[in-house]
Amino acid sequence: MMRNPVDVIILGQGIAGTTLAWRLLSAGCSVMVLDRGDRMTASKIAAGLMTPITGKRFAISWDWEDFYSEASQFYREVESKTGTHFFDELSMLRLFQTAEERQTFEGKLSRLTGLVSSTHPDFKTFQHAAAEGGFEMIGGRLHVEEYLKASRKMFQSMDSYIECSIDVQAEIEIQPNKIVIPKLNLTGKQFVSCQGFQSTMLPYFDSVKFNPAKGEILDIKTRNSNIDRVVHRGIWMSPRGKQLRIGATYDWSDLSTNVTENGRHWLTCRLNKLLPSEYEIVQHQAAIRPTMKDFHPVLGAHPKLNNVRIFNGLGSKGALMAPRLAQMLTNQLLHQTPLPLNLSVERWFQEES
Ligand SMILES: Cc1cc2nc3c(=O)[nH]c(=O)nc-3n(C[C@H](O)[C@H](O)[C@H](O)COP(=O)(O)OP(=O)(O)OC[C@H]3O[C@@H](n4cnc5c(N)ncnc54)[C@H](O)[C@@H]3O)c2cc1C
């Protein structure tokens, strides 16, 4: 049976593909989302944190205000469309590890207005880890698995989702005015690859330079039931129901999703300094972040195949960046609105020529 042709075929239902599907549906397009349902993906294990001030130098996350305001509005809208809850605005605690860190922060404080909600927060359970002090900042958290699950359910109910694995090179026919996937009896006007780390194997975009980074996380249980905040101190700790998610490592050499003793050791060393009570590790997982060589996301049409697009490179900020970028890509796809060169896939082809 031939399926009805769709406007856009989206390959991958991680944060990128899901968010793009919502943006295109809102713009009136029909979509078909394809995903093979891998158990371990970057989106499935991400903590979904949206953190305005990051790293030891207390850098403001790139274009924070624009990304965050679009993200919070977008997730609220999808919550209301799906009748589920998966997004929270919350304050996060950042504890200094050294006196030097505290001095760096004090030197930058005047530039962090609006992001720091308290310079003298109540450290509560974390008093012992706050010898050098800390601060509280605004932020958000997407419960990524719930977001993906609720979205998938909605796409399924609209006949806009198929669970399947696609070999892009062998199973997709790219014709001048249509894309055909014969094994699914599916035709679309446009194709967008949202395959995360798997896009490194995409034939059409082999000049795009990925620099994927493996990340490991732990889910733990502790008897201390007072931990209700996201805390950063060398690692992050994020409450999830009765458990805490702890992360994350960065490794650019091993791109398997196997968990490692080194990863566990790195996380527990830092966790032991942060958590006063005993804990039990209930889960240890790893996945690969789709990071680019120049650390910028990558979106847009192939320069020669204008019905083939990519949406990728969300790195460690998928939850924050996907809604705004998906809107930009939607505008490009529907109205040919140009993309800034630092985000556009064209930058990789320019370097090639
Ligand atoms: C440990 C860790 C912690 C993180 N924490 C955060 C955080 O706190 N906040 C934050 O914003 N971000 C975080 N991230 C980053 C975030 O997870 C990524 O930016 C985001 O998940 C990337 O989403 P994606 O959709 O591009 O890729 P993916 O999540 O990899 O999704 C790609 C999808 O495509 C499917 N697919 C690929 N190829 C095929 C094919 N050929 N056929 C069918 N299906 C296919 C895969 O099965 C998958 O479902 C974290 C990442 C890691 C690893």
Side-chain angles (χ1 to χ4, degrees), residues 11-17 34-38 41-50 164-168 194-198 213-217 236 248-249 287-290 311-320:
L11 183 57
Q13 199 236 330
I15 297 176
L34 312 175
D35 191 283
R36 66 176 163 226
D38 288 340
T41 66
S43 299
K44 283 181 185 156
I45 74 162
L49 301 177
M50 301 176 213
C164 61
S165 183
I166 297 291
D167 177 335
V168 177
C194 300
Q195 295 171 255
F197 158 64
Q198 307 292 333
K214 175 173 179 169
E216 296 185 46
I217 53 143
W236 45 254
T249 62
I288 316 297
R289 301 173 186 89
F311 180 23
N312 213 305
L314 297 179
S316 52
K317 295 188 181 174
L320 175 67

